[in-house]
Amino acid sequence: MNVTIVDYNSGNISSVINSFQEVAKDKVNLEVTSDLNKIKSSDKIVLPGQGSFKSCVDALNSIDGLVDTLNNFVISEKKPLFGICVGLQMFADIGYEEKETRGLGWISGKVLKIDNQNGKYKLPHIGWNEINIVKESKIFKDIENNSHMYFVHSYEFIPEDKSVISATTDYSSNIVCSVEKENIFGTQFHPEKSDKIGLKIIDNFIKL
């Protein structure tokens, strides 16, 4: 099985690569690439994202044919994709970080700045926080509810269809921190920085 981490120059993804390598060793063939043919022939894709919504969307669009290839992989071929942090946020129709920017439109919704209640909550939301698993999700197999995950973000994804939400975290409000829609999976937290539990989530995705 081929698993590809899409490297589209969106910041430092070394911890994502290292954790997937640790989990995938001897089990699957792991590639880190922006080569469209390798992405097309993959069985599963990981879409990381660091920085702002706009900078990540711009970076995806700067590689000719990449967005079309991802759309075909996810929407037409219905193969599994896992988005991490801004990788998840880009599933939305639109984001408002820096300026209004169109997302991939895979899961209807928008990405807005977390309401910090006039400074009561610090932004970015950074560090460990509990997740509340609200529906059974394939990537949460054998993960206990109220497990702690590692977060770094100032913006949140608000999907129109609440049934796609698989987990939330409490920070100023109930923030969506995981989604699952058919073959599309995403976490706002960083599984690659969330110790053994995070590695278990990665393992669950690889074993899908």
Side-chain angles (χ1 to χ4, degrees):
M1 184 172 68
N2 295 313
V3 178
T4 297
I5 298 173
V6 182
D7 184 7
Y8 58 101
N9 305 314
S10 75
N12 180 15
I13 59 168
S14 58
S15 55
V16 173
I17 295 165
N18 291 341
S19 57
F20 271 83
Q21 280 174 337
E22 184 179 335
V23 173
K25 61 177 179 276
D26 307 330
K27 288 187 225 173
V28 297
N29 179 35
L30 188 70
E31 287 261 11
V32 183
T33 184
S34 59
D35 182 305
L36 300 188
N37 288 323
K38 286 182 176 171
I39 291 169
K40 281 174 188 165
S41 64
S42 296
D43 300 298
K44 294 183 180 127
I45 282 180
V46 180
L47 184 65
Q50 282 206 318
S52 73
F53 185 95
K54 182 181 181 304
S55 69
C56 286
V57 170
D58 287 350
L60 276 186
N61 284 322
S62 72
I63 298 172
D64 200 32
L66 180 54
V67 170
D68 288 342
T69 299
L70 292 174
N71 282 333
N72 186 60
F73 188 96
V74 169
I75 304 302
S76 305
E77 297 193 31
K78 295 243 178 261
K79 293 199 268 190
L81 178 139
F82 186 14
I84 297 173
C85 196
V86 185
L88 152 72
Q89 292 180 2
M90 290 192 294
F91 296 171
D93 299 312
I94 198 155
Y96 292 94
E97 191 170 2
E98 291 184 47
K99 64 182 243 190
E100 190 177 301
T101 306
R102 288 194 67 77
L104 293 164
W106 295 340
I107 298 180
S108 287
K110 55 197 174 186
V111 175
L112 298 174
K113 193 163 195 176
I114 295 168
D115 177 8
N116 68 355
Q117 299 182 22
N118 295 321
K120 188 176 164 193
Y121 290 85
K122 282 189 183 140
L123 291 181
H125 167 216
I126 186 165
W128 295 88
N129 206 344
E130 275 185 11
I131 65 163
N132 176 34
I133 299 171
V134 294
K135 79 164 184 178
E136 198 172 308
S137 170
K138 293 173 184 140
I139 62 168
F140 289 141
K141 185 175 184 288
D142 299 327
I143 301 281
E144 284 186 19
N145 196 19
N146 304 323
S147 292
H148 284 78
M149 301 296 177
Y150 191 82
F151 290 84
V152 187
H153 64 121
S154 299
Y155 283 73
E156 60 174 320
F157 174 42
I158 301 169
E160 281 177 17
D161 177 5
K162 303 304 179 208
S163 74
V164 303
I165 301 168
S166 52
T168 60
T169 191
D170 188 30
Y171 193 79
S172 130
S173 66
N174 259 340
I175 289 172
V176 174
C177 69
S178 177
V179 297
E180 176 175 335
K181 182 188 177 185
E182 298 170 352
N183 54 310
I184 305 170
F185 304 84
T187 60
Q188 179 62 65
F189 57 83
H190 289 269
E192 79 281 5
K193 295 177 181 171
S194 299
D195 206 34
K196 287 192 175 73
I197 300 173
L199 292 178
K200 176 61 183 158
I201 287 173
I202 291 169
D203 186 51
N204 285 339
F205 176 71
I206 285 175
K207 284 179 176 167
L208 281 180

